[in-house]
Amino acid sequence: MNTQSSAQARLLSRMRVAVTGASVALLAGSALAAGEAAAPNADPVADTHWLSYNGTADGQRYARDAQITAANANQLGEHCRLKVAESGSFHSGLVQLDGTLYLTTAQDTLAVDATNCIVRWRNHYVPEQPEVFPVNRGVAYANGKLFRGTADGRLLAIDAATGKTLWQQQIGDPLQGEFFSAAPIVWQGLLILGSAGSDWGVRGRIMAYQQDTGQEVWRFNVIPTGDEPGAETWKNFGSARYGGGGSWTHYSIDHQTGEVFVPIGNPAPDLIPAHRPGSNLYTDSMVVLDARTGKLRWYHQIVSNDGHDLDLGAAPMLYHDEKGRSLVVLGSKNGHVYGIDRETRKRVYDTVITRIKNEGVQPKPGVPLNVCPGVLGGVEWNGAAYDHKNKAVVIGAVDWCSTITAKQQESWIPGEFMFGGSWTMDDESYGWVRALDGQTGAIRWSYKAAGPVVAGITPSAGGVVFTGDMAGNFLVLDSHSGQPLYKDETGGAVAGGVITYSRGGKQYVATTSGNVSRATFGVSGAPTLILYTLGGNAKATGASRSASVPTAATIGGERLYSTNCSACHGRDGEGGVGPALKGLKARLDLEQTIAWIKNPSSKMPKLHPSPLDDNAVAAIAAYVQRF
């Protein structure tokens, strides 16, 4: 493992945070969670950082870098790329501190030189129990440590300089369907993280841990029971035991008030709301907790008694509008964007950003119901950003309808999907990037992308917006008009972080590329980190790197199946988004299974010959023959 320089280590130890109003400045002591202050006229070549999943603790994702502008964005080019893995999910948010990028896969954490894609170290976590859902969305940084969750219910602390695991705690039970995919958030010596697993029927909770030891400090039960406030909203009291309410993406913090804003996922079973009458608090809600104690301060529910799987899955974003109002923005899978006044706790605006069909119509068992934006639609795990230059909220969305068919599901089998039905996705899918007036919520401009937009959105002081789509395109848009300025085919779906920063007088844009998860949304590709700069020409020179990626021969069929197939077909082949594979051997022999994987139906992602080669396909086929 390579280590960071002693000068960098000394800088890390000196980092402190200064918080002023809505702008959160650099440098955190016990909670390095904020980032650069949003300063539109800042020096365009000063070194900058991206200190957390959304850059700043308020989730605004605004970059003060201004070297790349609307006038020169067409001069961008690829600077370098790093192949992170052969295949699998790649949703990672990116963190950049003092010239080092930190990123994750389901099992790996990497430190990469932020100017040349050279790997400094790689930490590989070997799961100790079966992984529920092999995906991870990134790290939190504080006091020289990186923190992340795992797909088998663990919480890790890793030395940011060396990559050594400092401590590890088991904080969830994967056999019950619990896992930790969100990037945590840090605050004053605490590490805050929620359990995911709504679709497996977990009882969601949000927890805080000591950064030094991993010991639990507080917890908030998302699904209330007994005498907890909100328990009466589960009129079938038994259903609260497996009520869902997982939290699977990032959070935001107001350092002045000590409030943490947490998005909460869907209730379970997903598609049969009659099984769980009541408003089902606190599912499909934003809960606002006291960051010190975990006590509920207030909440805002988007959908009650949800029957369409309409999670609130993206981090809330905090800002002040031109009237001085303190607002929080919520982007939901229901295709709406909400602006909520944090003082009155009432909605200021409600803006529709996708097609809407059969909203609020509850599914009936056995009766197909076509809904828009659909169970994989709306605003997914990367939410709204705030463009200071244009006083606008910028957000990406998935416009993809689906037909859901509910099926009564009385029993709960720990660790297995609890959808309460099934769905099929429509053939047509695309994405949107939309800019909303920060005061009224009115749509100012829209960009229709070739594929769904789930990637991070980053507006900058240079007057551009950086993002990507699941068709594999890295995108640069004019932040005033939405006009495309630059588009590059990356070779894989853009499903994670897209950030910008400056080092040594040069502005870089870093993007993730390559992703296999759920129905994939479009192209797949191998998980890859790509850097762009003005005048970059790495494609012409063939400049690319590899992070010692394991091969099919070393990984084995079980790991390959978990990484590429379990998200749709279930951990043990029980089925879910995709069909059940149990008893496959009676229907297809080994050669037929290999042929099926290589030439799947139109509803399945095509993974062969890339990212899965012949050896990988054969290993997966042999493994699923055991089901």
Side-chain angles (χ1 to χ4, degrees):
M1 293 181 181
N2 295 320
T3 61
Q4 296 165 307
S5 68
S6 60
Q8 180 180 343
R10 288 194 298 272
L11 177 61
L12 291 176
S13 69
R14 294 197 299 267
M15 301 295 280
R16 294 293 183 268
V17 162
V19 181
T20 51
S23 296
V24 185
L26 255 181
L27 314 175
S30 62
L32 188 69
E36 297 284 348
N41 297 315
D43 181 358
V45 294
D47 285 353
T48 58
H49 307 263
W50 192 274
L51 296 179
S52 66
Y53 183 91
N54 281 325
T56 52
D58 52 22
Q60 292 184 5
R61 297 191 62 89
Y62 183 76
R64 69 183 179 92
D65 309 87
Q67 191 176 72
I68 300 170
T69 69
N72 64 22
N74 61 353
Q75 299 172 31
L76 280 166
E78 187 175 309
H79 178 69
C80 62
R81 66 168 51 205
L82 170 71
K83 187 177 180 181
V84 175
E86 286 289 350
S87 61
S89 64
F90 195 36
H91 298 186
S92 181
L94 303 173
V95 170
Q96 190 278 133
L97 172 63
D98 194 41
T100 300
L101 281 163
Y102 300 102
L103 58 148
T104 63
T105 67
Q107 296 89 17
D108 291 351
T109 308
L110 291 87
V112 178
D113 190 299
T115 65
N116 59 23
C117 296
I118 293 176
V119 177
R120 291 183 167 166
W121 54 255
R122 182 174 191 142
N123 177 299
H124 178 65
Y125 171 73
V126 178
E128 298 183 347
Q129 289 181 278
E131 294 177 295
V132 179
F133 190 67
V135 64
N136 187 269
R137 296 190 174 88
V139 300
Y141 172 89
N143 297 324
K145 300 183 185 73
L146 303 173
F147 305 95
R148 61 159 292 173
T150 74
D152 66 341
R154 272 63 174 177
L155 178 63
L156 310 180
I158 299 170
D159 187 291
T162 66
K164 178 183 177 181
T165 300
L166 299 173
W167 55 254
Q168 174 180 320
Q169 296 280 7
Q170 180 171 358
I171 61 173
D173 185 356
L175 300 182
Q176 300 291 313
E178 292 181 329
F179 62 103
F180 298 90
S181 59
I185 199 164
V186 290
W187 183 81
Q188 297 191 6
L190 297 179
L191 172 71
I192 301 171
L193 181 63
S195 61
S198 294
D199 298 332
W200 288 260
V202 303
R203 183 184 174 216
R205 62 189 190 279
I206 312 300
M207 295 82 69
Y209 300 90
Q210 294 177 356
Q211 294 174 11
D212 290 339
T213 65
Q215 294 300 307
E216 184 177 315
V217 176
W218 57 253
R219 68 170 55 191
F220 171 79
N221 290 321
V222 172
I223 308 299
T225 59
D227 58 0
E228 293 175 321
E232 71 282 358
T233 68
W234 295 81
K235 299 186 183 303
N236 175 5
F237 296 113
S239 67
R241 291 188 300 107
Y242 43 80
S247 181
W248 45 277
T249 187
H250 197 52
Y251 324 113
S252 299
I253 283 184
D254 184 325
H255 283 268
Q256 289 185 323
T257 65
E259 293 175 318
V260 57
F261 296 75
V262 181
I264 303 298
N266 60 278
D270 300 39
L271 307 179
I272 47 174
H275 178 71
R276 41 176 170 77
S279 56
N280 302 151
L281 290 177
Y282 295 92
T283 64
D284 294 348
S285 300
M286 172 189 67
V287 296
V288 183
L289 307 178
D290 186 307
R292 175 67 65 191
T293 66
K295 299 295 185 183
L296 179 68
R297 290 196 178 179
W298 61 285
Y299 72 93
H300 190 94
Q301 188 174 46
I302 300 300
V303 180
S304 65
N305 196 223
D306 174 20
H308 293 187
D309 191 15
L310 299 175
D311 310 56
L312 187 62
M317 188 272 285
L318 316 177
Y319 74 103
H320 289 84
D321 72 1
E322 292 182 87
K323 291 183 177 180
R325 292 178 298 190
S326 178
L327 301 184
V328 55
V329 174
L330 305 177
S332 171
K333 279 178 61 180
N334 69 356
H336 293 248
V337 177
Y338 304 93
I340 300 164
D341 188 310
R342 290 175 52 195
E343 293 183 1
T344 66
R345 300 174 184 176
K346 297 184 181 299
R347 294 180 185 177
V348 174
Y349 55 81
D350 173 355
T351 305
V352 173
I353 60 170
T354 67
R355 288 173 291 172
I356 302 292
K357 181 180 179 182
N358 284 325
E359 184 173 32
V361 177
Q362 298 290 35
K364 298 178 181 179
V367 181
L369 177 68
N370 188 250
V371 296
C372 299
V375 297
L376 301 182
V379 180
E380 292 282 342
W381 51 88
N382 282 297
Y386 188 66
D387 178 4
H388 285 255
K389 188 177 182 70
N390 295 290
K391 309 299 181 188
V393 173
V394 189
I395 195 163
V398 179
D399 211 323
W400 198 3
C401 304
S402 60
T403 298
I404 59 179
T405 304
K407 180 181 179 182
Q408 192 59 40
Q409 183 172 349
E410 296 289 350
S411 61
W412 170 55
I413 302 175
E416 293 194 5
F417 284 124
M418 196 176 186
F419 290 127
S422 61
W423 65 84
T424 58
M425 305 304 299
D426 287 6
D427 292 334
E428 182 183 32
S429 67
Y430 47 87
W432 294 104
V433 181
R434 300 197 194 260
L436 282 56
D437 185 283
Q439 187 168 307
T440 67
I443 295 175
R444 289 185 181 172
W445 57 255
S446 299
Y447 173 80
K448 187 176 181 180
V453 176
V454 300
I457 304 282
T458 300
S460 76
V464 298
V465 174
F466 303 104
T467 190
D469 64 31
M470 294 296 283
N473 300 302
F474 165 65
L475 302 167
V476 185
L477 310 177
D478 187 303
S479 65
H480 179 71
S481 66
Q483 291 299 307
L485 303 170
Y486 179 79
K487 182 167 72 171
D488 184 53
E489 294 182 5
T490 67
V494 183
V498 181
I499 69 170
T500 191
Y501 53 88
S502 297
R503 300 295 303 169
K506 179 182 291 187
Q507 184 178 350
Y508 297 83
V509 185
T511 184
T512 55
S513 171
N515 177 69
V516 177
S517 65
R518 300 199 296 183
T520 300
F521 297 102
V523 300
S524 51
T528 302
L529 171 72
I530 306 174
L531 303 188
Y532 291 88
T533 58
L534 293 172
N537 63 355
K539 284 189 175 180
T541 61
S544 63
R545 307 183 189 280
S546 176
S548 301
V549 177
T551 65
T554 60
I555 294 175
E558 181 177 4
R559 169 84 176 275
L560 286 164
Y561 173 85
S562 176
T563 300
N564 295 281
C565 312
S566 64
C568 289
H569 297 287
R571 183 173 63 191
D572 300 313
E574 71 272 15
V577 178
L581 300 180
K582 289 185 175 180
L584 180 68
K585 187 174 182 178
R587 305 192 298 272
L588 300 175
D589 63 22
L590 179 61
E591 293 303 318
Q592 290 171 322
T593 302
I594 291 173
W596 173 53
I597 297 172
K598 287 184 175 181
N599 298 285
S601 71
S602 61
K603 299 297 183 181
M604 281 180 60
K606 185 171 177 57
L607 303 177
H608 179 271
S610 176
L612 300 180
D613 61 15
D614 286 348
N615 291 332
V617 171
I620 292 173
Y623 178 71
V624 300
Q625 284 279 300
R626 306 176 191 174
F627 288 149

